[in-house]
Amino acid sequence: MDPEYRFSHKHILGLADLSPEDIQVVLQTAESFKEISSRSIKKVPTLRGKTIINFFFEPSTRTRLSFEVAAKRMSADTFNISNSGSSTVKGETLIDTARNLAAMNPDCIILRHPSSGAARLLADHINASVINAGDGTHEHPSQGLLDLMTVREAKGGIAGLKIAIIGDIAHSRVAHSNIIGFSKMGASVTVSGPATLIPPGIKDLGAQVSRTVLEAVDGADVIMALRIQKERQQDPLFPSLREYARFFGISQKVVDAAKPEAIIMHPGPINRGVELDPKLADGSRSVILEQVTNGVAVRMALIYLIMGGD
């Protein structure tokens, strides 16, 4: 790495904006922060006096709590706002709400929003740093980074691996961030799912498309199952959940087609028995809970780095 390198991003809006060197620094920083979560006293004064606002327009368990835990473990002051608790329900625009929040001088706003591009819009109109916690079907950069960290820990590296992502690719911001991130770090990515859930242009992000799951996972080092996002589908895009599970669910037969040491991932929440066999979700190959653990470390790293951490 260039000894003159310095992480210079004020916002984290998508992995498309980060270089491989940026990603490497985030992962290394996250690894150094991970140890804090194993201490008896899980707190350091790194960001004492800093103010962080979690502004979530969509339901979230892992991401919202993970960002809050990350900030508090570095002694930042955190405040949570949901859509139902903000003036947007009264007709106020996102920009006006954000400007009012910015007038209170927070250091960082973490935004989850159902519209693609919302985080970038926010970043263009306020002085505080913005972290995209998921915007529509666009990107979910912190999830992509924690997945990269989890794979690197399990496999010792990323370059040269084959990543198979199975499921609702069209509506998954996680899939988009992972395709971009893993491709930048030297892995190959193959996706599969019902034809109605494979968006046009997905190859432009760097992914290959397989018609069947068995073909997609053939020789794979990592199998990632994605949740069927019914809330983003205006019309039914496949006949039934039973048929989806039959043709695209991750079963033992599917796992047997991958490499013997292949790991199983899922960004959560899991629809057990639909996209993933429950036994596999809880089995020895699963790193799903490791993903959650690494999520806190990655989000600590992101908050630290955009606030000028060296």
Side-chain angles (χ1 to χ4, degrees), residues 239-305:
S240 67
L241 291 178
R242 178 177 293 181
E243 182 163 318
Y244 178 89
R246 178 183 174 189
F247 290 102
F248 295 99
I250 306 303
S251 63
Q252 187 61 54
K253 178 182 177 181
V254 170
V255 173
D256 288 343
K259 287 185 177 177
E261 66 278 9
I263 59 173
I264 299 169
M265 306 179 73
H266 195 299
I270 304 171
N271 292 311
R272 288 173 176 262
V274 179
E275 64 255 12
L276 183 59
D277 185 317
K279 291 181 180 179
L280 294 174
D282 301 325
S284 60
R285 293 196 187 190
S286 172
V287 293
I288 294 171
L289 294 181
E290 284 84 347
Q291 289 174 267
V292 178
T293 299
N294 288 337
V296 175
V298 161
R299 286 156 182 146
M300 289 175 74
L302 290 177
I303 294 168
Y304 172 75
L305 288 167

Side-chain angles (χ1 to χ4, degrees), residues 134-149:
D135 60 333
T137 59
H138 174 230
E139 275 214 54
H140 193 347
S142 62
Q143 179 70 47
L145 289 164
L146 73 88
D147 289 342
L148 285 163
M149 180 178 179

Side-chain angles (χ1 to χ4, degrees), residues 217-230:
V217 304
D218 182 30
D221 300 280
V222 178
I223 302 172
M224 180 180 295
L226 299 176
R227 180 176 65 88
I228 297 297
Q229 301 193 34
K230 292 182 180 179

